[in-house]
Amino acid sequence: MPVEVTWWGHATCTIEDSGVRVLTDPLFARRLAHLRRRRGELPGPEAAVADVVLVSHLHSDHLHLPSLARLAAGTRLVAPAGAARAVPGLRRLCAARGLLISEVVPGDELRFGGTDGVRIRAVPSLHDGRRLPMGPRRSPALGYVVEGEERTYFAGDTGLFDDMARVVGPVDVALLPVGGWGPYLGRGHLDAGRAAQALARLAPRAAVPVHYGTYWPIGMDGVRPHEFHSPGDEFVRKAALLAPDVATHRLGHGERMRPEAAR
């Protein structure tokens, strides 16, 4: 079965590989605190169907409890070490909904779907992923490499760091954040230019820009609106200059791509 990647918006993607359905950082909300979904229909029930759910870090737009509540009982949740302790609601949700949680640190590997399924490896991320204001307890921000027929890197939230290519390793597909949910990106994030630099270092066969063009602060429609609309196109342009051998796919919300098309 061909590998397929679907972008649902923000950092939420489905990776289907070797018969295993992997969902990343599910966020299925019209509104989250001061943020409103500005583009793309709210994903339907099929978006919450997954064998494995990857949570990159504890920020509420990546670890969103109401969205996790849509998962079926028995779904495996992979999250950074310390997540259940730092976010008591996560522990209660897993118990109430019958979700199975595995907490990992960089270098940990898990297998799903048997010997013909996928191997998921946690990799480091340059990002402060604490759940504020829940307390000072730290959990690492992570990326993940999903390896089956292809090796797909989901970066979560991260800045550009020197040994990124080494710790991530060879990959075929990169899902890279290129923007955010506000007009300014702080340290520990990739904008379109830094994401293109990361792409040049990773040298996958294909790439998909994520984490942009979905949520925007209420009342800020007129403040640097290009920061909401443009990062995907800007990434495609800069990637063509810095990583011309990589096929970039700027997906619409709910749109799918097959990496085999980039061969």
Side-chain angles (χ1 to χ4, degrees):
M1 178 178 176
V3 175
E4 193 167 71
V5 174
T6 305
W7 183 50
W8 302 108
H10 203 55
T12 307
C13 301
T14 294
I15 304 163
E16 298 179 73
D17 191 335
S18 303
V20 179
R21 189 174 170 98
V22 180
L23 178 65
T24 68
D25 287 352
L27 182 57
F28 307 130
R30 296 189 186 278
R31 180 171 175 176
L32 171 63
H34 63 298
L35 304 179
R36 181 177 62 185
R37 189 175 180 109
R38 292 293 311 281
R39 184 176 288 178
E41 296 294 327
L42 200 65
E46 72 278 8
V49 176
D51 302 295
V52 187
V53 175
L54 305 180
V55 173
S56 62
H57 61 288
L58 306 190
H59 291 166
S60 57
D61 59 324
H62 294 259
L63 172 54
H64 185 243
L65 297 178
S67 294
L68 295 178
R70 291 178 54 179
L71 302 173
T75 303
R76 174 65 63 175
L77 185 66
V78 181
R85 184 181 66 172
V87 186
L90 176 62
R91 184 170 61 248
R92 293 192 295 269
L93 176 66
C94 288
R97 299 290 298 173
L99 305 179
L100 309 174
I101 186 168
S102 296
E103 296 190 353
V104 296
V105 297
D108 285 350
E109 295 184 358
L110 300 171
R111 283 194 172 273
F112 299 94
T115 56
D116 295 327
V118 300
R119 179 180 66 168
I120 296 177
R121 176 168 52 93
V123 299
S125 169
L126 180 62
H127 190 69
D128 183 353
R130 291 176 293 171
R131 181 79 159 205
L132 299 174
M134 301 296 289
R137 296 191 180 110
R138 291 184 177 272
S139 288
L142 302 173
Y144 296 95
V145 177
V146 179
E147 182 174 353
E149 294 183 30
E150 308 278 357
R151 291 163 297 190
T152 303
Y153 170 46
F154 168 64
D157 261 356
T158 187
L160 187 65
F161 55 97
D162 290 340
D163 58 348
M164 177 182 278
R166 181 186 64 81
V167 300
V168 172
V171 292
D172 301 297
V173 184
L175 312 180
L176 295 178
V178 302
W181 50 254
Y184 302 103
L185 287 173
R187 184 178 181 274
H189 295 83
L190 296 177
D191 60 12
R194 292 192 293 272
Q197 293 177 48
L199 192 66
R201 298 182 186 187
L202 295 166
R205 193 174 70 253
V208 176
V210 302
H211 204 280
Y212 79 100
T214 308
Y215 292 91
W216 201 243
I218 295 169
M220 292 187 67
D221 295 6
V223 180
R224 297 170 65 87
H226 65 283
E227 296 287 356
F228 174 80
H229 294 287
S230 67
D233 289 333
E234 186 178 355
F235 171 73
V236 171
R237 289 194 300 270
K238 293 187 174 182
L241 296 174
L242 297 180
D245 294 332
V246 181
T248 55
H249 301 260
R250 190 184 68 78
L251 302 180
H253 292 81
E255 190 174 354
R256 306 165 187 258
M257 62 83 72
R258 290 183 173 179
E260 66 178 359
R263 293 185 189 276

